[in-house]
Amino acid sequence: MVTIGDVATRAGVSRSTVSYALSGKRPLTEEVRRRVAVAIDELGYTPNAGARALATSQTKVLGLLAEFLPDEFAPAMMQYFLGVTETARTFGYDVLLISEPDGPAALHRVLASRMVDGVVLLNVAEHDDRLGVLRDTGRPGALVGLPADPDGVDVFDLDFPETGRAMVAHLGELGHREIVLVSQPEHVVQRGGAYVRRLRDAALDEADRRGITLHAAFGPADQTQVGSFLHHLLDAHPGATGVLLNNEAAAAALPAVLDARSASVPDVLSVVGRWSADFARYFSLPYSFVESAPDRLGEMAVRQLVRRIEQEEAAAEPHVVRLLPPVLVDRGSTGAPRG
Amino acid sequence: MVTIGDVATRAGVSRSTVSYALSGKRPLTEEVRRRVAVAIDELGYTPNAGARALATSQTKVLGLLAEFLPDEFAPAMMQYFLGVTETARTFGYDVLLISEPDGPAALHRVLASRMVDGVVLLNVAEHDDRLGVLRDTGRPGALVGLPADPDGVDVFDLDFPETGRAMVAHLGELGHREIVLVSQPEHVVQRGGAYVRRLRDAALDEADRRGITLHAAFGPADQTQVGSFLHHLLDAHPGATGVLLNNEAAAAALPAVLDARSASVPDVLSVVGRWSADFARYFSLPYSFVESAPDRLGEMAVRQLVRRIEQEEAAAEPHVVRLLPPVLVDRGSTGAPRG
DNA sequence: TCCAATCGTCGAACCGGTTCGAATGGCGTG
DNA sequence: CACGCCATTCGAACCGGTTCGACGATTGGA
């Protein structure tokens, strides 16, 4: 392995000079700079990351904590990965992917061993055990998902309450008086997915304010069951003229269900959901939806994280909670109610 | 930050003794071992990964090189991630996720800087530029995807030729004489996805041997276009009684297409494809398929990689090319041809 | 009782970078 | 021509572990 010493010898300078040539932290003669560059090139030198980390206590690596939950729609997580890794790379960071079931332990391990300069936590629950670990170490962290107590961390998430309101308001203004909401299953909520409840509560409130009847249900996340669930739900509320979706599996299953019922959209039923553009693409969903913007959230989280890591003044700034306002992508799946 | 020196002081021993207590590489008195354990516990000591890497030249990190291609089905990649990260963890390794567009450069960067002990390359193309980089550094690497020249690396992949033969044979034995094959689009092949061609060629050969007419087509990967493509394809070959799929987008679109044509399965058409169980689950695909086993391939790649890293004798063993024999998951979507 | 072997622990060197203070050289100026 | 200053480079210490040879204490045998 070629080290900085080899480069120094070849260029006829000291090791420290090579280091300065690399970092530019001290002025050097053009001549020396050139000789070092040539030596590096000829020897094919790349600094040893471990040694550098030891000396600078900076690894240029970010931790990405994700949990693969069997009942959640795994592909959705991919979009976060993309936003995080791409943004990290533009700032010169690599990403350590951590998917252990025991999140707190894994987090402690990578932070305490100084493998990473900061972490992005995905899928943050209402009361997330990882937060305690993160606060104890005092290292910077950015969350995707709003916990009950966001103290000491930066939070990025979709504004779920506003999303719920916007969806109800959208149908309400078209004249709908009775609609249905399909949320993620109960166990997602219990696991800490408070966003499900936040959207639901806001939707119920907005419906109430507008005098709209809103039937709020928790649908299964299992693709094999969600179809019949939707049938039953629609059977149970024959007067409903609109469907709101906050459940990916239900969204994927809806086209077949409506087709089987010969319920055309938007003539018979108006449909609005909450998912990502990529999700809509993969499943060819022809419905209007509020973009959940996973790639954008991942990018924002990393940007802020890097700021905190690299800029001393930023480290002292108050922590932010940034909730993206809902943006409706219109696919023409809503209209005036039938009859 | 608490270092090994702090622990040593607190336990009243030397730094090296603490190190030996941690690694167990030399015998210690029970008393000393206990005192060190207590000190570690009280101080909350965790070894610094950078320092350890520097001293041992082992990082306990594996690189995972993936490319996010816009026209490939991104969620499929998730299954590989799962297999790789989980297996890595059972062996005490973390995973550095590298998704840069410039694969060779990224690979060189992480290998030359000694950030990782070895790499897993996903989606390996027929002639993959990353292989040259990998061979030059001489570090261990495991591939998922069979390149033209697998010298110096371990390769794991589905046996695509056998998969093609098996699918044709399956329908052939049921009595089908004219069938259709939908492959991935041409540009996937051109980018190096030789597996597409390997399956196709073998299928054509097998059909030839059995006197079966096989119409082999390259379908679009774009969900918006693949539906009408399938309609045209089936219109063009009204005599076909079976459909083979080696194209995820086409598989996802097929149920709606067949429904629109009132072509029931397997009465009117028999269907067999190649995808993963998770893919089938997400898209509720009711068809028989050859399992492409991404999680299993990821696991095999990591197992072998770790063996090469950790066992000196393994490092010298000849490299392997392991092609998984196709396993058909029967969902009852095939039967005797109509008429 | 003395010596040798064994066991357990220590000290120092090393891994490959970074960084700070000091040394060296060239230049301009008095 | 001598001096001082500034720009540039060097040397040494340090980051936090691991590892090897050596040392001291204990034990066993002669």
Side-chain angles (χ1 to χ4, degrees), chain A residues 13-14 16-17 26-29 32 54:
Chain A
V13 298
S14 74
S16 52
T17 300
R26 283 199 183 173
L28 296 179
T29 10
V32 167
L54 182 56

Side-chain angles (χ1 to χ4, degrees), chain B residues 66-153:
Chain B
E67 243 178 304
F68 294 100
L69 297 165
D71 60 345
E72 262 175 38
F73 187 74
M77 193 154 287
M78 207 66 184
Q79 309 300 329
Y80 289 109
F81 287 13
L82 207 57
V84 168
T85 56
E86 279 191 354
T87 311
R89 194 84 285 283
T90 66
F91 289 109
Y93 284 77
D94 279 298
V95 171
L96 200 69
L97 176 59
I98 297 145
S99 62
E100 286 176 62
D102 187 348
L107 185 56
H108 179 264
R109 186 169 54 78
V110 297
L111 286 175
S113 71
R114 285 295 214 273
M115 295 184 79
V116 301
D117 295 335
V119 291
V120 174
L121 306 191
L122 293 186
N123 230 321
V124 175
E126 181 81 354
H127 299 282
D128 202 304
D129 292 341
R130 298 174 295 181
L131 288 186
V133 176
L134 183 53
R135 292 201 186 97
D136 285 350
T137 65
R139 318 251 1 144
L143 318 189
V144 175
L146 175 62
D149 175 12
D151 236 44
V153 292

Side-chain angles (χ1 to χ4, degrees), chain A residues 28 54 115 124 132 145 169 176 187 197 247 252 264 270 308 312:
Chain A
L28 296 179
L54 182 56
M115 295 184 79
V124 175
H176 293 258
H187 61 256
R197 182 141 266 144
N247 177 325
S264 69
S270 287
R308 289 225 187 260
E312 287 190 26

Side-chain angles (χ1 to χ4, degrees), chain B residues 166-187:
Chain B
M167 295 197 304
V168 170
H170 181 66
L171 291 192
E173 263 150 40
L174 288 168
H176 294 258
R177 315 306 305 159
E178 181 178 359
I179 56 183
V180 161
L181 165 66
V182 182
S183 298
Q184 300 273 44
E186 276 282 15
H187 62 256

Side-chain angles (χ1 to χ4, degrees), chain A residues 11 24 59 67 131 140 173 220 249 260 286 302 323:
Chain A
T59 61
E67 243 179 304
L131 288 185
E173 263 150 39
V302 171
L323 301 180

Side-chain angles (χ1 to χ4, degrees), chain B residues 125-334:
Chain B
E126 181 81 354
H127 299 282
D128 202 304
D129 292 341
R130 298 174 295 181
L131 288 186
V133 176
L134 183 53
R135 292 201 186 97
D136 285 350
T137 65
R139 318 251 1 144
L143 318 189
V144 175
L146 175 62
D149 175 12
D151 236 44
V153 292
D154 294 306
V155 176
F156 301 87
D157 205 354
L158 179 65
D159 190 333
F160 280 95
E162 272 313 304
T163 300
R165 290 187 189 287
M167 295 197 304
V168 170
H170 181 66
L171 291 192
E173 263 150 40
L174 288 168
H176 294 258
R177 315 306 305 159
E178 181 178 359
I179 56 183
V180 161
L181 165 66
V182 182
S183 298
Q184 300 273 44
E186 276 282 15
H187 62 256
V188 169
V189 182
Q190 278 155 18
R191 204 166 49 216
Y195 70 95
V196 175
R197 182 141 268 145
R198 288 203 299 268
L199 185 149
R200 185 183 133 110
D201 290 348
L204 282 167
D205 183 64
E206 182 71 22
D208 203 44
R209 283 192 40 227
R210 292 171 176 268
I212 295 174
T213 305
L214 176 62
H215 306 288
F218 297 100
D222 183 355
Q223 283 83 354
T224 62
Q225 301 171 24
V226 73
S228 68
F229 171 87
L230 288 172
H231 274 298
H232 286 129
L233 186 65
L234 293 174
D235 288 343
H237 306 293
T241 57
V243 179
L244 306 183
L245 296 167
N246 186 25
N247 177 325
E248 268 91 355
L254 193 60
V257 168
L258 295 188
D259 203 53
R261 304 171 74 87
S262 307
S264 70
V265 172
D267 307 329
V268 175
L269 279 175
S270 287
V271 177
V272 195
R274 193 273 319 153
W275 51 71
S276 73
D278 285 292
F279 184 83
R281 195 158 57 80
Y282 292 137
F283 286 89
S284 308
L285 293 183
Y287 311 129
S288 302
F289 64 99
V290 171
E291 169 65 57
S292 53
D295 47 355
R296 191 137 161 258
L297 289 170
E299 182 189 327
M300 291 168 73
V302 170
R303 291 195 107 87
Q304 177 72 355
L305 190 55
V306 170
R307 259 174 52 80
R308 288 225 187 263
I309 292 170
E310 297 190 343
Q311 300 175 21
E312 286 190 26
E313 58 274 31
E317 285 173 13
H319 292 269
V320 308
V321 173
R322 195 149 298 154
L323 301 181
L324 287 184
V327 174
L328 190 80
V329 179
D330 192 342
R331 289 279 169 84
S333 66
T334 60

